[in-house]
C-alpha cells in the first residue's frame, strides 16, 4: 500500500504452466456453491413454501418429526426435508435425526407468518447469489464471454442487498434462541451481512471509477460473506467425517468457531486466483482511500505498539505464568468449568510449550508490526535490504514457533461429545494452523523477493497472532453484556468470544483488496 506509484512494468512471479490451479480452484468453489444453491432452491420450494400452500403445517411437521424419531429412514427424511436428506447421505441417518435440527424444523413451521415470509424471501434471493455468484470469478468466462460475466454480476449485485436486508429484517423479529445455532450465528449474520452490503456497494463504486482490480476484490469479499449458510451445512458433514464420535450439537459449536476464517480464506483464494502473475503489468496509482488509510495507520504506530505491548503483558500473565482462561473472572462467568479445567490441565502439563507460545506469538507481533511499517515506506521496486531480510527471517521463526505450539496445545485440548468442552481446542488448533499457513506463504514470498505479496502475507499474520489475548479481552467485554444464563450454559458466551478472535482477518482482507499486490496484478 505504498504511496509511491511510478508507472513501470513489473516482472511476473508465477509460471503460466500453473494457471490451471487457480482455474480449478474457482471452478470447484463455483460448482460447490451452485450445488448448495440448488439444494436451497429445492428446500425453499418444498419445505418453506408449504405454509403458504396448505393449512395445518405445524401439526404436519410435528407428526413428521415424531415419525422420523421412530423410523429414521431416508424416505422419511426426504419427506421432512430435502436438505436434511442430502446431508444425511454424507453421514448417517441418526446423526441429524438425533439432533435439535428436527425441533428447529418444527419451529420453522410454527413461527409467525411475517417471519416465514421474510425467511422464505431471503432464501430465494440468496439462491441466485449461490447459483451464479461463483462463476463471475472464472477468468476464462470473463475473458471470452464478457456479456455473460456482466449479466451474472448484475444479478449478483441486485440480489445480494435484497437478500441481506431480508435477513436483517428476519433477525430483527427473531430471538437468537430461535435460530438453530443461537446467539453466535445471530451476531455472525449481522456482521457478515453488513460487510457484504458495504463490499457490494464499494464494488459498484470501484467499477464506475474503472478501478477493476478493486472491483474484483470487493466482489470476492462480498461473496465470502455470503457463504455463511452454505459453509455451515458443509462443515456439519465434513466435521462428521473427521469426528464421527462427536454429536451434532458439539460439532455445530465447532463450526461456528472456524466459519469466519474459512469463509474469508475462500474469498482470499478467489482474489489470488484472479491475479495475473504470468504476464507483465502496468503499476496503477493509489486511489484516495488506500492512501488515507496508509497515512492513518502509520500516524497511529505508537498506538499499535502500545496495544501490542499490552497483548504481550496479557499473554505472559495468563499463558506463560498462568493457565489460560481459568485465571480470569470473566471466563469463570461465561465458560463452563469442564472447558476451563481441560485447558488448565493441558497448559499445566505442557509448561514449556505454553511459555514458548506466549513469548513467540507476542514477540512475533511486535517485530511484525515494526517490519510491516518499514515495508510500507519502501518504493514498489525496492529490493529488500539485508537488515529487512534478517528481520523477516526472525519474524518467520517466531511465527512458526507460535503456530506449532498453538496447534500442539489445541490438539491436546481436543474435543469431547455432548458439549462437555464446548468447541474444545478448536480456537488454538485453527489459529495455529493458519499462522503456520501464512508463515509458509511469507517464506515463499521472501525467497522470491516479492515485496507486494510479502506485505500482504505479513498483514494476515499480524491479524492472526494475537488470538489468545484477544480471547480474554472478548470474554472481559462480554461479561458486561446481559447474556441470558441459558445461552451461557449452551456455550454461546465462549463460542462468541472465540469466534470473534477472527474478526481482525477482515482488516487483512481489506488490505488484500486495496494493497500493492492487487494494484500490480489485479
Amino acid at each position: 500500500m505504498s504511496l509511491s506509484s511510478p508507472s513501470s512494468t513489473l516482472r511476473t512471479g508465477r509460471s503460466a504452466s500453473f494457471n490451471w490451479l487457480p482455474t480449478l480452484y474457482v471452478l470447484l468453489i463455483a460448482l460447490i456453491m451452485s450445488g448448495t444453491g440448488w439444494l436451497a432452491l429445492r428446500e425453499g420450494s418444498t419445505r418453506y413454501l408449504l405454509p403458504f400452500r396448505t393449512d395445518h403445517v405445524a401439526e404436519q411437521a410435528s407428526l413428521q418429526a415424531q415419525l422420523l424419531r421412530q423410523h429414521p429412514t431416508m424416505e422419511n427424511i426426504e419427506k421432512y426435508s430435502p436438505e436434511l436428506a442430502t446431508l444425511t447421505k454424507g453421514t448417517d441417518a441418526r446423526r441429524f435425526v438425533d439432533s435439535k435440527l428436527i425441533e428447529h424444523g418444527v419451529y420453522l413451521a410454527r413461527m409467525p407468518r411475517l417471519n416465514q415470509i421474510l425467511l422464505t424471501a431471503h432464501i430465494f434471493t440468496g439462491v441466485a447469489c449461490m447459483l451464479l455468484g461463483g462463476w463471475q470469478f472464472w477468468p476464462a468466462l470473463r475473458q471470452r464471454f464478457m456479456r455473460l460475466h456482466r449479466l451474472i454480476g448484475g444479478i449478483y449485485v441486485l440480489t445480494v442487498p435484497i437478500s441481506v436486508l431480508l435477513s436483517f429484517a428476519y433477525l430483527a423479529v427473531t430471538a437468537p434462541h430461535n435460530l438453530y445455532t443461537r446467539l453466535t450465528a445471530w451476531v455472525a449474520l449481522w456482521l457478515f451481512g453488513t460487510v457484504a452490503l458495504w463490499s457490494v456497494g464499494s464494488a459498484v463504486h470501484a467499477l464506475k471509477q474503472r478501478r477493476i482490480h478493486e472491483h474484483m476484490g470487493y466482489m470476492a469479499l462480498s461473496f465470502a460473506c455470503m457463504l455463511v449458510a452454505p459453509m455451515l451445512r458443509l462443515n456439519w458433514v465434513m466435521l462428521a467425517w473427521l469426528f464421527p464420535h462427536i454429536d451434532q450439537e458439539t460439532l455445530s459449536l465447532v463450526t461456528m468457531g472456524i466459519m469466519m476464517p474459512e469463509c474469508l480464506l475462500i474469498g482470499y483464494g478467489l482474489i489470488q486466483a484472479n491475479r495475473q502473475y504470468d504476464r507483465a503489468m502496468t503499476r496503477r496509482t493509489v486511489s484516495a482511500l488506500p492512501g488515507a488509510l496508509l497515512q492513518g495507520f502509520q500516524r497511529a504506530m505508537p498506538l499499535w505498539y502500545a496495544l501490542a505491548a499490552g497483548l504481550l503483558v496479557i499473554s505472559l500473565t495468563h499463558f506463560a505464568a498462568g493457565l489460560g482462561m481459568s485465571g480470569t473472572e470473566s471466563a469463570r462467568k461465561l465458560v463452563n468449568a469442564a472447558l476451563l479445567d481441560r485447558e488448565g490441565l493441558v497448559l499445566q502439563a505442557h509448561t514449556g510449550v505454553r511459555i514458548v507460545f506466549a513469548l513467540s506469538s507476542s514477540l512475533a507481533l511486535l517485530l511484525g508490526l515494526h517490519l510491516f511499517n518499514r515495508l510500507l515506506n519502501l518504493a514498489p521496486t525496492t529490493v529488500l535490504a539485508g537488515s529487512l531480510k534478517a528481520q523477516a527471517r526472525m519474524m518467520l521463526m517466531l511465527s512458526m514457533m507460535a503456530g506449532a505450539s498453538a496447534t500442539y496445545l489445541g490438539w491436546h485440548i481436543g474435543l469431547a461429545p455432548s458439549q462437555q468442552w464446548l468447541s474444545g481446542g478448536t480456537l488454538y488448533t485453527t489459529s495455529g494452523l493458519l499462522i503456520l499457513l501464512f508463515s509458509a506463504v511469507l517464506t515463499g514470498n521472501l525467497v522470491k523477493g516479492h515485496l507486494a505479496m510479502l506485505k500482504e502475507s505479513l498483514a494476515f499474520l499480524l491479524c492472526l497472532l494475537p488470538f489468545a489475548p484477544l480471547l480474554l479481552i472478548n470474554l472481559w467485554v462480554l461479561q458486561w453484556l446481559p447474556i441470558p444464563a441459558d445461552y451461557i450454559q449452551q456455550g454461546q458466551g465462549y463460542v462468541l468470544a472465540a469466534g470473534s478472535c477472527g474478526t481482525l482477518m477482515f482488516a487483512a482482507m481489506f488490505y488484500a483488496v486495496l494493497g500493492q499486490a492487487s494494484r500490480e496484478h489485479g
Side-chain angles (χ1 to χ4, degrees):
M1 208 185 276
S2 173
L3 290 175
S4 301
S5 54
S7 178
S8 60
T9 301
L10 304 174
R11 290 189 176 273
T12 61
R14 185 198 296 170
S15 171
S17 62
F18 290 94
N19 281 347
W20 63 273
L21 286 174
T23 299
L24 179 62
Y25 173 80
V26 173
L27 290 177
L28 182 63
I29 296 298
L31 284 170
I32 292 175
M33 291 306 118
S34 293
T36 61
W38 174 251
L39 181 59
L41 181 62
R42 285 186 61 209
E43 185 81 353
S45 59
T46 54
R47 187 181 185 186
Y48 288 94
L49 285 182
L50 196 60
F52 305 101
R53 293 173 176 170
T54 61
D55 298 325
H56 310 295
V57 174
E59 293 80 359
Q60 182 180 344
S62 297
L63 290 174
Q64 286 181 334
Q66 185 178 359
L67 177 64
L68 206 54
R69 296 287 197 196
Q70 297 171 352
H71 305 286
T73 63
M74 282 301 302
E75 181 181 0
N76 289 334
I77 298 174
E78 183 71 40
K79 290 179 181 178
Y80 185 78
S81 166
E83 179 185 66
L84 203 60
T86 303
L87 296 176
T88 299
K89 291 175 183 177
T91 55
D92 61 84
R94 299 275 1 159
R95 168 167 291 277
F96 297 114
V97 170
D98 291 340
S99 73
K100 294 180 181 178
L101 282 168
I102 306 303
E103 285 77 7
H104 182 66
V106 175
Y107 164 76
L108 294 177
R110 290 177 175 172
M111 66 183 179
R113 180 52 60 96
L114 175 62
N115 299 54
Q116 292 174 339
I117 293 172
L118 292 171
L119 182 58
T120 303
H122 161 70
I123 289 171
F124 279 106
T125 50
V127 161
C129 304
M130 291 301 100
L131 281 175
L132 301 174
W135 299 100
Q136 64 188 314
F137 301 104
W138 186 9
L141 178 71
R142 183 174 63 248
Q143 293 165 3
R144 299 177 187 176
F145 306 100
M146 180 55 74
R147 288 186 179 179
L148 179 58
H149 169 78
R150 288 172 176 169
L151 175 62
I152 293 173
I155 295 173
Y156 180 83
V157 298
L158 178 65
T159 54
V160 165
I162 296 173
S163 181
V164 170
L165 291 174
L166 285 167
S167 74
F168 285 172
Y170 175 73
L171 293 172
V173 298
T174 305
H177 63 264
N178 287 327
L179 300 180
Y180 172 67
T181 40
R182 309 301 174 104
L183 178 63
T184 307
W186 194 85
V187 173
L189 289 170
W190 279 104
L191 173 62
F192 276 102
T194 301
V195 177
L197 278 178
W198 185 83
S199 298
V200 167
S202 298
V204 173
H205 177 73
L207 185 62
K208 290 180 180 179
Q209 299 294 318
R210 302 195 63 81
R211 301 190 69 82
I212 306 302
H213 57 292
E214 290 183 11
H215 165 76
M216 187 278 299
Y218 281 126
M219 291 292 275
L221 178 56
S222 70
F223 187 69
C225 292
M226 297 298 291
L227 298 181
V228 175
M231 291 311 302
L232 177 69
R233 288 150 178 81
L234 290 173
N235 283 337
W236 288 343
V237 176
M238 291 187 291
L239 288 172
W241 294 342
L242 293 173
F243 306 101
H245 62 291
I246 305 294
D247 61 284
Q248 166 61 16
E249 265 58 58
T250 300
L251 291 187
S252 184
L253 290 177
V254 174
T255 294
M256 298 309 299
I258 66 175
M259 194 166 57
M260 183 179 295
E262 184 180 44
C263 292
L264 294 181
L265 281 179
I266 290 173
Y268 183 57
L270 293 173
I271 293 176
Q272 286 279 25
N274 280 272
R275 286 177 176 167
Q276 300 176 358
Y277 294 101
D278 57 346
R279 67 182 179 88
M281 298 289 291
T282 300
R283 183 171 291 111
R284 302 173 175 96
T285 57
V286 182
S287 61
L289 179 60
L293 290 175
L294 172 62
Q295 290 181 355
F297 178 84
Q298 293 193 300
R299 286 174 182 172
M301 281 308 299
L303 173 62
W304 306 135
Y305 284 130
L307 289 174
L311 295 174
L312 169 64
V313 172
I314 295 174
S315 294
L316 294 180
T317 302
H318 293 283
F319 294 95
L323 296 177
M325 293 185 293
S326 59
T328 65
E329 181 64 27
S330 56
R332 288 191 288 271
K333 292 178 180 179
L334 294 172
V335 184
N336 66 9
L339 178 57
L340 293 178
D341 292 342
R342 180 63 184 176
E343 183 198 42
L345 285 172
V346 171
L347 293 179
Q348 188 174 33
H350 304 280
T351 305
V353 177
R354 81 166 192 264
I355 293 175
V356 167
F357 165 68
L359 286 172
S360 59
S361 59
S362 302
L363 294 176
L365 181 63
L366 281 166
L367 182 58
L369 269 174
H370 178 67
L371 177 62
F372 189 61
N373 186 43
R374 290 189 64 185
L375 293 177
L376 288 175
N377 290 320
L378 295 181
T381 54
T382 302
V383 177
L384 288 181
S387 61
L388 284 174
K389 288 183 178 181
Q391 287 186 30
R393 292 190 190 100
M394 178 61 69
M395 165 73 184
L396 273 172
M397 183 185 71
L398 291 170
S399 297
M400 289 180 177
M401 291 169 63
S405 55
T407 305
Y408 179 90
L409 293 172
W411 183 261
H412 280 77
I413 293 173
L415 296 174
S418 303
Q419 303 182 47
Q420 293 176 44
W421 306 334
L422 306 179
S423 55
T426 301
L427 176 63
Y428 284 89
T429 305
T430 303
S431 301
L433 291 174
L434 288 174
I435 291 170
L436 288 174
L437 170 64
F438 281 99
S439 295
V441 174
L442 184 65
T443 301
N445 293 324
L446 182 61
V447 170
K448 295 176 184 177
H450 199 312
L451 177 62
M453 287 303 301
L454 188 68
K455 290 188 287 187
E456 190 168 284
S457 50
L458 185 56
F460 275 94
L461 272 176
L462 291 175
C463 293
L464 291 166
L465 282 165
F467 75 89
L470 283 179
L471 172 64
L472 301 185
I473 293 172
N474 292 339
L475 288 170
W476 182 83
V477 172
L478 288 174
Q479 74 173 331
W480 303 106
L481 301 181
I483 301 176
D486 58 328
Y487 286 20
I488 295 173
Q489 187 177 6
Q490 295 159 4
Q492 295 298 306
Y494 169 74
V495 176
L496 184 58
S500 299
C501 294
T503 52
L504 284 179
M505 284 190 68
F506 281 107
M509 282 293 292
F510 287 134
Y511 182 84
V513 172
L514 299 172
Q516 180 185 339
S518 286
R519 293 198 304 274
E520 291 180 353
H521 303 292

